[in-house]
Amino acid sequence: NAGVTQTPKFQVLKTGQSMTLQCAQDMNHEYMSWYRQDPGMGLRLIHYSVGAGITDQGEVPNGYNVSRSTTEDFPLRLLSAAPSQTSVYFCASSYDGTGYGYTFGSGTRLTVV
Amino acid sequence: QKEVEQDPGPLSVPEGAIVSLNCTYSNSAFQYFMWYRQYSRKGPELLMYTYSSGNKEDGRFTAQVDKSSKYISLFIRDSQPSDSATYLCAMRGVTNAGKSTFGDGTTLTVKP
């Protein structure tokens, strides 16, 4: 049981480049979310999805796009990378039931130079 | 003002101490309260989950929720060096399991 798989683990981008962070889960969870974690700022929600074909914005959506064509996959696209997007990105999935929290991936460390 | 405020720490305690980690919140709609543990350079993992007010115990860990005061706590008894990690509180409303709000985390070091 792989859980939530994120790729790549590390990435360095130049300002203005675009890229896609991949996220896949094999638990048939309805909900998937992307967070970024910056020093001293905890986890901030970028975008989330309540099911295939349905996405919505979180607290810090600017500069990012998402889509969810299948239950399993929830990629995050950086449209034109900026140094302010240097962060650790976590994908998480969840089942909507009492007692269930998130299952997180291991993260992608992104540096924009 | 943030919806969730967490005692910033860091905390450093001797092995065997009782640790108290705390968060306050302002959104009355929050009904589910979670604590996550995050080891260095790893993803967070769910530690405790509580619905509405009350206490929940799991081994050395006790989660406490006081909705009237909008205050939640995590207690760790007989702390061990392996408990050294960052602890994140999180909470959400009844609907939308994909939209939790997190505190900024408290880093705990337990010294042997």
Side-chain angles (χ1 to χ4, degrees), chain A residues 10 31-33 35 37 40-43 45 48 50 57 90 94-102 104-106 109, chain B residues 2 32 34 36 38 41-46 49 51 88 92 94-105:
Chain A
F10 302 92
Y31 297 88
M32 296 186 75
S33 309
Y35 286 87
Q37 187 173 37
M41 298 188 75
L43 289 158
L45 183 63
Y48 64 97
V50 302
Q57 296 181 351
F90 288 102
S94 179
Y95 169 69
D96 189 16
T98 301
Y100 288 89
Y102 285 128
F104 280 89
S106 57
R109 293 184 173 272
Chain B
K2 292 183 178 181
Y32 294 104
M34 286 75 71
Y36 290 83
Q38 185 177 23
R41 304 182 79 84
K42 301 289 187 183
E45 56 178 338
L46 182 66
Y49 186 109
Y51 172 65
L88 298 150
R92 66 174 180 91
V94 173
T95 58
N96 203 339
K99 197 177 178 184
S100 289
T101 301
F102 283 80
D104 288 346

Side-chain angles (χ1 to χ4, degrees), chain B residues 3 5 14 17 26 29 33-35 78 88 96 101-102 104 111:
Chain B
E3 280 189 308
E5 299 277 1
S26 58
F33 304 91
M34 286 75 71
W35 286 95
D78 188 25
L88 298 150
N96 203 339
T101 301
F102 283 80
D104 288 346
K111 296 185 175 180

Side-chain angles (χ1 to χ4, degrees), chain A residues 1 6 12 15 18-20 25-26 32 35 42 44 46 54-56 60 62 67 71 78-79 81-82 98 101 108:
Chain A
N1 191 351
Q6 288 185 240
V12 178
T15 298
S18 62
M19 79 160 294
T20 299
Q25 54 97 1
D26 62 358
M32 296 186 75
Y35 286 87
R44 292 185 291 168
I46 304 171
I54 307 170
T55 65
D56 204 350
V60 288
N62 293 340
S67 60
T71 299
L78 278 69
L79 308 174
T98 301
T108 295

Side-chain angles (χ1 to χ4, degrees), chain B residues 71-110:
Chain B
Y71 190 88
I72 71 170
S73 298
L74 177 70
F75 298 96
I76 307 174
R77 293 183 300 280
D78 188 25
S79 56
Q80 303 294 310
S82 58
D83 295 328
S84 298
T86 296
Y87 291 81
L88 298 150
C89 64
M91 45 200 82
R92 66 174 180 91
V94 173
T95 58
N96 203 339
K99 197 177 178 184
S100 289
T101 301
F102 283 80
D104 288 346
T106 302
T107 299
L108 171 67
T109 301
V110 181

Side-chain angles (χ1 to χ4, degrees), chain A residues 1-5 23-32 68 71-73 91-96 100-105:
Chain A
N1 191 351
V4 178
T5 302
C23 176
Q25 54 97 1
D26 62 358
M27 298 169 286
N28 202 32
H29 284 171
E30 308 156 82
Y31 297 88
M32 296 186 75
R68 188 148 177 224
T71 299
E72 293 79 20
D73 299 299
C91 179
S93 70
S94 179
Y95 169 69
D96 189 16
Y100 288 89
Y102 285 128
T103 299
F104 280 89

Side-chain angles (χ1 to χ4, degrees), chain B residues 20-39:
Chain B
S20 172
L21 303 165
N22 308 293
C23 290
T24 59
Y25 64 96
S26 58
N27 190 339
S28 300
F30 289 147
Q31 294 284 342
Y32 294 104
F33 304 91
M34 286 75 71
W35 286 95
Y36 290 83
R37 178 174 60 194
Q38 185 177 23
Y39 291 114

